[in-house]
Amino acid sequence: MSRSCLPISAALLVSAVAVGDEVVPPEVISKVAAVPPVGAPPALHEHVVLELTITDDGVVHDVVVIESAGEAWDQAAVTALKQWRFKPALHQGKTVASRTQLTFNVAAPPPTPDAGLAAQPDGGELLEAPDAGQAPAPERQPPEYTTRVLGRAEPKSTAPSDFHIEVGDLRIVPRKTSTEFLKLAPGILITNEGGEGHPDQIFLRGFDAREGQDIELTAEGMPINESGNLHGNGYADLHFIIPELIENLRVVEGPFDPAQGNYAVAGSADFELGLQQKGLTAKAAAGTFDTQRLVLLWGPPGESSRSFAGVQLYRTGGFGQNRDAQYAALMGQYELPLSQSATAYIGVNGYAAKYHSAGVLRADDVEAGRVGFYDTYDNRLGGDTLRASIYGAIHHHGGPFVQQHQVFLTVRNARLTDNFTGFLLDVQGQLQNPHDQRGDALDRNSLAITVGAKGFGRYRARVLDHNHELTLGYFGRFDLAEGTQQRLIAGTNTPYRRDVDLDSKLTDVGLYANADIHPFDWLTLRGGVRADLFTFNVHDNCAVQDVRRPSSQNPPGDQSCISQMDLGKYREPDERVSALGSSIMPRGTLLLGPFAGVTLSGAAGQGVRSIDPQYVSQNIETPFASIFAWEGGAQWAHRWQSLDASARAVVFGTRVDKDLVFSEQAGRNIIGGATRRLGGLVAARARGGFFDLSLNGTYVHSAFEDTGFVVPYVPDLVLRADGAVFHALPWRLFAHDLRAQLGVGYTFVGRRALPYGQRSDVISVLDANVELTWRWLTLGVSCTNLLNTRYRLGEYNYASDFHTSGAFPTLVPQRHFSAGPPRQLLFSLAVNLGGQS
Amino acid sequence: MKRAAFSLLLAGCLQTTGGQLVTFEAEAVGTPEAASFTTPKGYDVVLSRARLFVGAVYLNQTNPSNYALETSCILPGIYTGEVRGSLTVDALDGSAQPFPVTGNGTDAPTRAAELWLTDGDVNDTRSERVVLEAEGTASKGDAGWPFSAVFTIGSNRKQPPRDPALPGSRPICKERIVTPIPTDLTLGEGGTLRLTIDPRLWFSAVEFSELTPSSSAPARFEFIDDSASAGQPDIALYNGIRAAKGPYAFTWR
């Protein structure tokens, strides 16, 4: 059978862009001629319309047929196109992946410049016509098509430590939770004494943000912090995010961007969601501690990475005692191009978890052999979580205007039982019937419904031959939060006391203006102001818990919420308080350069953390924790062909007037005094054709302003390294490449300051993961804590009494710790179907 | 400006959160002079035995001045030190009698101290632990009262609440804890906490002439081990061993 050439011409048509602006479309660098199908029926049309993704390094992916000329003709066109190479599209001067449609003309007429070759006049290969009787193609023009930039516009840097991090190949580095991706940014330590289902505790640049109280956390722009949560105002549980669906991170380490809102004290972090892998991916993993994980992912071919669906099921027996956990997460998002100038996306997610936690142990009990290093005092500790959210956004640009609007709705319930002090706090009250210490176990439950919207409008003008922008943005959220906190009798789950019972209605309305001015090529000024108004309406269902002179005839006894005043005069046990407060926060950034790839920058700004509803008083201007932060630094970036390198060095300082400090008696962070921080960081990343390496280190001195004493528990030195190497192996299996990937992550945390002049142990943990991919099959083995280091993840000094050492209570401070996980192996198998069209 | 500079200086110099955790030894000594003494009420007392059982010692960083009005025997957050090991102190022996355990604490200033006169759960009324053993002879003029005292603090010392609306107002732990014993010291690593007991002050208010005879030949008298007793000597001695000011003193070496 003779093979003849197919008269295929391709037209790469670029007439507009759908997202963002300043887009330079991709250009063809090299083409491969298509081979016409032999013996195929005549083409149905004169052209095959294909849609493809051109990656940011110019490679063709994810080709789908939009308009078919017949299966054989289509396949011939697709086969050829996959071998083409492109110069990638540019967005705001940077290479980006793009989604483009391309026409292969099947009929004899050669393409003409006005036949849609707007940006690439020589887009196809003109070949001979086939012999077999092909009907003359009717005269018609190929349709106009668009190039659509995939992903998101790169955010503009608002500070020297504004990190926009593409996870990329560092995805191979073992990370058990989505929170651990934050370690790609400098100065972040993740710990967790509450178990695998419990939200991670985040330390950022000298702040103990606990479960997010000092970091504004968002996923795809949707707020995660929970206002009014009793475990901490701003509590954030990131476990609902399936790690495979994290595409990029934006971490701003300080309040420097006017778009940052409540809780952006230490900074903010946005998880940009996406799935590069197309088709259906099923991944199963099993390993030590009876751990199993099953993930199903769907990346619809032909859609952007922002369209995906994912399900994750996870269970573990946990290491040591009482660390079992089970959870399930579901996420879906679809990005819909509405027109050449508008796109929209809608997303949903759901999450449910049940877990136990080991809590803390006293070091003296471990040293005396009374408990083991990985044991627990109380097997009731743990919690459960439910979450459901829906969100959507629309993005539109037209001429100099860009606008985006987003709405979100989240329903969440979180229950958590913990006990940091054992049997210490249940002191005998006069009103109470005589009792022994019944135990300090706290049972907290918070239900929150959050609804809100955010958005911005941006106007661009060109003045004096430079682009300038003005952005006006808004943010609004309403929270309906219910929270109860009870104390449980040891050995049972019977509540004996109600500490807190609040129903809160909270609003936060924010407006901001942000200017981006470029007076000269080497000078950029960014900044503006943000104003937030907070309202609080708090119904305290247990407002009175003591009475000085109770009724002798009707004593309140063991009631927690008392309905009498002195001498038995009746009152309702509840009370409502409302308050309002506002804050105006200027923020600004100055950038000089780049000079030989180096950009110098400085930033300053104010941030705010709203008051916990537990502290709200009637008509009192609600006190805010406000922060002032400044920093200066230098950033360098360079690209040599396939090697991308960047580095930065930053010095920073912060002052917070009401910092949060951990209280073991409250089992959470409570408001402390004013603190200052002074520190520096370095970060670097290098990416090449076979490796990706990220290094960062941060040192910060955190001290109380009045005494100069060091702030306890926060790390001053944090080092982190993430590395990945990947390459095809020299062997082939059934004529297909074998590709190997190795990822390594290393964390070092210096001795943390503890109360009473103590220092913790260092943390030094190495994780590794290796994967082998053959066609659609990937085998992997992941190992966390590779060296099986026995270490203390969290350490504390305070008084507790767990009834472990004799009849007399222990009332003076002692060292406590939560154990870091030992070595864990996880073997995985992943199958991808339909990943390449 | 000066304040900011000072803060920066402090921030650059201090690398501590303040304070220190310490461990220390603890011992008790008696008062040999108490073997023979005269009480303020004019009784000449010769003690042949004076032993006090000390279950534990706690030190406070704030003086719980209103402690008598508080109902809680434990006030989390005020403690600077603890010695959680029992010792029966011979109050007539002036040599050091070490506690069997090492003490723990902080270097925060100590302003008060507590003696726990129990061997177990401070709220358990069932304890029959003898906390005081005393024997001797009191005399005034020609009269003499050979006496003995064996005190426990359990259900025999339970007090009813002072108001039915305050059922938790008089827990048994209040009977067992001697507090606040005025103290002014600061613990340090490796030092020794010394408890000095002067049993003479236990008997300061006792009217020995009102003692209850336990046998007539030979004549013996005893202190009744029950708060239900209305006898002056019984109440006075019980209050004497629980007196925060006088019989007990803490020093640091």
Side-chain angles (χ1 to χ4, degrees):
Chain A
M1 184 177 290
S2 68
R3 294 167 62 94
S4 59
C5 294
L6 174 69
I8 294 177
S9 67
L12 182 63
L13 309 177
V14 183
S15 59
V17 294
V19 174
D21 39 19
E22 290 187 357
V23 172
V24 178
E27 298 175 12
V28 176
I29 297 174
S30 66
K31 297 177 290 185
V32 173
V35 178
V38 177
L44 302 175
H45 303 293
E46 63 190 24
H47 55 254
V48 179
V49 180
L50 302 174
E51 187 170 290
L52 65 152
T53 295
I54 300 167
T55 64
D56 60 358
D57 52 1
V59 178
V60 173
H61 271 299
D62 197 17
V63 183
V64 294
V65 177
I66 301 297
E67 193 170 327
S68 172
E71 184 177 350
W73 302 86
D74 298 346
Q75 189 56 49
V78 169
T79 301
L81 182 60
K82 284 185 175 179
Q83 301 173 68
W84 288 29
R85 290 293 179 270
F86 288 83
K87 181 180 177 183
L90 296 174
H91 180 226
Q92 296 175 348
K94 295 188 176 180
T95 58
V96 293
S98 60
R99 189 77 184 161
T100 299
Q101 290 190 352
L102 183 148
T103 301
F104 270 78
N105 286 335
V106 175
T112 57
D114 60 352
L117 302 178
Q120 176 49 266
D122 187 14
E125 191 76 12
L126 183 60
L127 304 169
E128 295 178 10
D131 303 330
Q134 179 179 334
E139 287 291 328
R140 69 177 188 180
Q141 297 292 323
E144 296 286 321
Y145 295 117
T146 63
T147 290
R148 181 159 51 97
V149 172
L150 298 180
R152 307 152 182 87
E154 176 99 3
K156 294 182 177 177
S157 175
T158 57
S161 54
D162 182 346
F163 295 90
H164 189 247
I165 302 164
E166 181 189 347
V167 176
D169 294 302
L170 294 179
R171 184 179 307 284
I172 188 83
V173 178
R175 300 176 210 281
K176 295 179 75 172
T177 66
S178 51
T179 317
E180 293 195 33
F181 283 83
L182 292 173
K183 291 195 284 192
L184 288 168
I188 288 183
L189 167 66
I190 308 294
T191 68
N192 192 333
E193 78 277 345
E196 291 200 34
H198 182 277
D200 291 314
Q201 181 179 355
I202 306 170
F203 296 87
L204 170 57
R205 239 167 58 166
F207 284 93
D208 175 2
R210 294 300 292 184
E211 296 86 2
Q213 287 92 318
D214 270 348
I215 301 180
E216 182 189 24
L217 291 160
T218 54
E220 206 63 41
M222 178 185 62
I224 301 175
N225 301 86
E226 295 175 32
S227 295
N229 188 300
L230 288 187
H231 196 57
N233 191 42
Y235 178 94
D237 185 349
L238 300 174
H239 286 336
F240 76 93
I241 302 175
I242 299 172
E244 282 82 353
L245 296 177
I246 298 173
E247 196 168 29
N248 304 309
L249 292 169
R250 186 190 179 202
V251 180
V252 184
E253 300 190 348
F256 302 117
D257 186 342
Q260 291 173 286
N262 194 10
Y263 308 116
V265 174
S268 62
D270 182 43
F271 290 81
E272 297 178 352
L273 306 177
L275 180 62
Q276 293 285 349
Q277 177 68 60
K278 298 301 176 190
L280 180 66
T281 302
K283 184 175 183 180
T288 46
F289 310 124
D290 193 22
T291 302
Q292 293 107 40
R293 182 170 185 260
L294 179 63
V295 180
L296 290 175
L297 303 169
W298 168 244
E303 304 294 343
S304 81
S305 63
R306 296 178 88 178
S307 294
F308 57 78
V311 179
Q312 173 181 236
L313 300 176
Y314 180 85
R315 71 173 301 281
T316 181
F319 62 92
Q321 296 180 346
N322 211 47
R323 290 181 175 87
D324 58 289
Q326 294 187 59
Y327 54 81
L330 180 151
M331 303 183 78
Q333 183 173 287
Y334 185 68
E335 185 181 48
L336 175 68
L338 299 177
S339 69
Q340 291 183 355
S341 59
T343 55
Y345 65 85
I346 185 168
V348 295
N349 60 62
Y351 173 71
K354 178 87 175 70
Y355 61 95
H356 284 100
S357 70
V360 296
L361 295 177
R362 289 171 61 105
D364 59 353
D365 282 344
V366 175
E367 289 160 8
R370 292 187 284 266
V371 292
F373 190 81
Y374 298 111
D375 288 356
T376 185
Y377 290 126
D378 190 344
N379 60 13
R380 297 170 304 158
L381 307 185
D384 55 73
T385 297
L386 290 170
R387 179 193 178 93
S389 14
I390 183 168
Y391 58 95
I394 185 167
H395 179 102
H396 177 267
H397 77 276
F401 291 99
V402 176
Q403 58 178 318
Q404 180 167 305
H405 306 279
Q406 183 180 31
V407 294
F408 47 85
L409 169 66
T410 300
V411 180
R412 192 172 185 285
N413 192 83
R415 183 187 179 198
L416 175 63
T417 303
D418 58 23
N419 185 350
F420 286 90
T421 50
F423 298 83
L424 191 67
L425 306 178
D426 181 27
V427 296
Q428 176 71 56
Q430 291 190 87
L431 299 176
Q432 300 169 341
N433 292 305
H435 62 76
D436 296 333
Q437 287 272 349
R438 292 166 288 189
D440 302 339
L442 283 167
D443 184 6
R444 291 193 182 98
N445 193 80
S446 291
L447 170 66
I449 300 173
T450 302
V451 60
K454 61 190 285 191
F456 65 85
R458 180 176 299 142
Y459 174 72
R460 170 178 294 166
R462 191 161 183 85
V463 179
L464 300 177
D465 208 29
H466 289 89
N467 287 328
H468 310 276
E469 289 181 353
L470 176 65
T471 303
L472 300 176
Y474 65 91
F475 176 89
R477 68 180 276 180
F478 171 75
D479 295 275
L480 194 62
E482 297 176 6
T484 58
Q485 174 176 302
Q486 295 178 312
R487 300 272 177 179
L488 303 180
I489 296 176
T492 74
N493 279 326
T494 307
Y496 69 83
R497 177 180 172 79
R498 181 177 302 184
D499 289 335
V500 183
D501 186 349
L502 297 180
D503 296 332
S504 306
K505 301 179 183 71
L506 313 169
T507 58
D508 171 10
V509 177
L511 294 172
Y512 65 90
N514 188 15
D516 184 2
I517 300 169
H518 303 260
F520 308 102
D521 289 339
W522 48 269
L523 176 63
T524 301
L525 297 167
R526 291 181 183 137
V529 65
R530 180 180 177 110
D532 274 273
L533 181 94
F534 300 92
T535 69
F536 304 83
N537 182 309
V538 182
H539 186 208
D540 187 344
N541 295 299
C542 193
V544 184
Q545 301 193 355
D546 199 5
V547 55
R548 190 165 46 125
R549 289 175 294 177
S551 163
S552 297
Q553 286 72 41
N554 182 28
D558 293 327
Q559 290 178 31
S560 301
C561 313
I562 297 175
S563 58
Q564 61 178 261
M565 294 182 286
D566 285 351
L567 304 174
K569 190 176 179 182
Y570 181 78
R571 63 150 293 159
E572 294 290 344
D574 62 335
E575 193 167 300
R576 187 181 295 276
V577 295
S578 56
L580 178 147
S582 60
S583 182
I584 297 175
M585 299 161 281
R587 294 161 188 176
T589 307
L590 180 146
L591 297 97
L592 298 173
F595 307 110
V598 175
T599 301
L600 305 175
S601 58
Q606 290 186 356
V608 69
R609 181 200 321 115
S610 67
I611 190 71
D612 190 320
Q614 293 182 60
Y615 302 132
V616 171
S617 300
Q618 177 66 31
N619 290 333
I620 299 297
E621 179 78 7
T622 55
F624 294 104
S626 78
I627 179 177
F628 171 74
W630 62 266
E631 61 181 27
Q635 183 174 358
W636 168 82
H638 197 75
R639 181 166 193 163
W640 297 275
Q641 298 184 346
S642 63
L643 176 63
D644 237 338
S646 62
R648 69 178 79 184
V650 180
V651 293
F652 57 87
T654 57
R655 180 189 182 275
V656 186
D657 62 352
K658 298 179 193 70
D659 208 347
L660 293 174
V661 179
F662 175 70
S663 164
E664 69 283 354
Q665 295 189 12
R668 49 173 287 183
N669 276 18
I670 59 173
I671 292 177
T675 58
R676 288 181 184 271
R677 285 163 182 78
L678 184 64
L681 66 86
V682 292
R685 187 164 181 180
R687 310 173 70 178
F690 65 94
F691 72 92
D692 192 342
L693 180 64
S694 170
L695 302 167
N696 66 64
T698 301
Y699 178 82
V700 57
H701 180 84
S702 313
F704 288 101
E705 195 171 69
D706 53 354
T707 62
F709 288 136
V710 173
V711 176
Y713 301 127
V714 297
D716 43 16
L717 177 64
V718 178
L719 306 175
R720 173 71 188 180
D722 293 86
V725 292
F726 38 87
H727 204 276
L729 295 177
W731 312 284
R732 289 168 65 86
L733 187 62
F734 298 110
H736 288 279
D737 284 342
L738 280 170
R739 181 178 173 82
Q741 304 175 81
L742 171 67
V744 177
Y746 174 71
T747 298
F748 178 87
V749 180
R751 296 182 185 278
R752 285 182 277 169
L754 300 175
Y756 303 102
Q758 303 280 296
R759 288 272 170 176
S760 74
D761 288 348
V762 300
I763 295 175
S764 175
V765 180
L766 181 67
D767 306 322
N769 182 27
V770 61
E771 291 183 354
L772 191 63
T773 301
W774 177 78
R775 299 187 67 190
W776 37 264
L777 181 67
T778 299
L779 294 171
V781 57
S782 165
C783 183
T784 50
N785 193 2
L786 184 66
L787 304 179
N788 203 24
T789 308
R790 195 163 112 156
Y791 67 102
R792 299 169 174 183
L793 188 56
E795 292 192 68
Y796 310 87
N797 273 346
Y798 59 79
S800 72
D801 182 20
F802 286 95
H803 287 181
T804 52
S805 56
F808 298 105
T810 58
L811 301 174
V812 299
Q814 289 286 346
R815 182 72 60 90
H816 298 70
F817 70 91
S818 55
R823 178 165 52 214
Q824 181 173 16
L825 288 168
L826 210 57
F827 300 91
S828 64
L829 167 68
V831 176
N832 176 262
L833 302 174
Q836 285 291 323
S837 302
Chain B
M1 190 64 191
K2 285 181 180 175
R3 184 177 172 178
F6 180 66
S7 298
L8 274 177
L9 185 66
L10 277 178
C13 296
L14 295 177
Q15 290 292 338
T16 177
T17 52
Q20 188 182 352
L21 293 181
V22 299
T23 57
F24 57 91
E25 302 299 322
E27 64 186 24
V29 295
T31 306
E33 296 80 8
S36 177
F37 63 96
T38 301
T39 71
K41 289 186 176 290
Y43 293 95
D44 296 320
V45 178
V46 174
L47 283 177
S48 58
R49 186 179 182 86
R51 292 175 178 269
L52 184 74
F53 176 81
V54 178
V57 173
Y58 291 92
L59 306 177
N60 309 146
Q61 62 180 314
T62 57
N63 191 338
S65 56
N66 294 321
Y67 199 79
L69 300 177
E70 298 288 343
T71 58
S72 174
C73 296
I74 297 174
L75 298 174
I78 72 165
Y79 299 94
T80 59
E82 63 188 20
V83 181
R84 299 188 307 124
S86 302
L87 176 68
T88 299
V89 183
D90 184 345
L92 301 178
D93 184 354
S95 62
Q97 302 163 58
F99 280 80
V101 298
T102 301
N104 303 101
T106 73
D107 64 352
T110 294
R111 297 287 178 250
E114 303 172 3
L115 288 185
W116 286 37
L117 305 181
T118 181
D119 64 347
D121 184 349
V122 73
N123 287 307
D124 186 353
T125 57
R126 293 168 297 184
S127 173
E128 295 182 353
R129 174 77 210 190
V130 173
V131 298
L132 173 70
E133 293 178 273
E135 283 183 9
T137 301
S139 59
K140 180 183 275 187
D142 295 334
W145 296 271
F147 65 86
S148 65
V150 176
F151 278 2
T152 60
I153 305 178
S155 55
N156 55 330
R157 302 293 180 182
K158 185 79 177 75
Q159 302 289 325
R162 63 174 181 268
D163 183 334
L166 302 173
S169 59
R170 299 177 79 174
I172 187 65
C173 59
K174 299 288 285 184
E175 303 293 317
R176 290 172 165 159
I177 299 175
V178 181
T179 187
I181 301 169
T183 305
D184 186 8
L185 56 85
T186 299
L187 301 176
E189 180 66 27
T192 301
L193 178 71
R194 170 171 281 189
L195 164 64
T196 301
I197 299 176
D198 186 346
R200 291 175 292 190
L201 298 170
W202 295 344
F203 297 95
S204 296
V206 174
E207 288 286 0
F208 288 94
S209 61
E210 297 181 24
L211 275 170
T212 303
S214 59
S215 69
S216 54
R220 298 288 299 172
F221 299 85
E222 70 176 12
F223 291 85
I224 296 174
D225 182 24
D226 197 320
S227 290
S229 168
Q232 191 278 343
D234 310 322
I235 297 171
L237 180 58
Y238 181 63
N239 288 340
I241 64 169
R242 295 172 57 252
K245 294 178 181 173
Y248 312 108
F250 284 93
T251 53
W252 178 254
R253 296 191 303 150

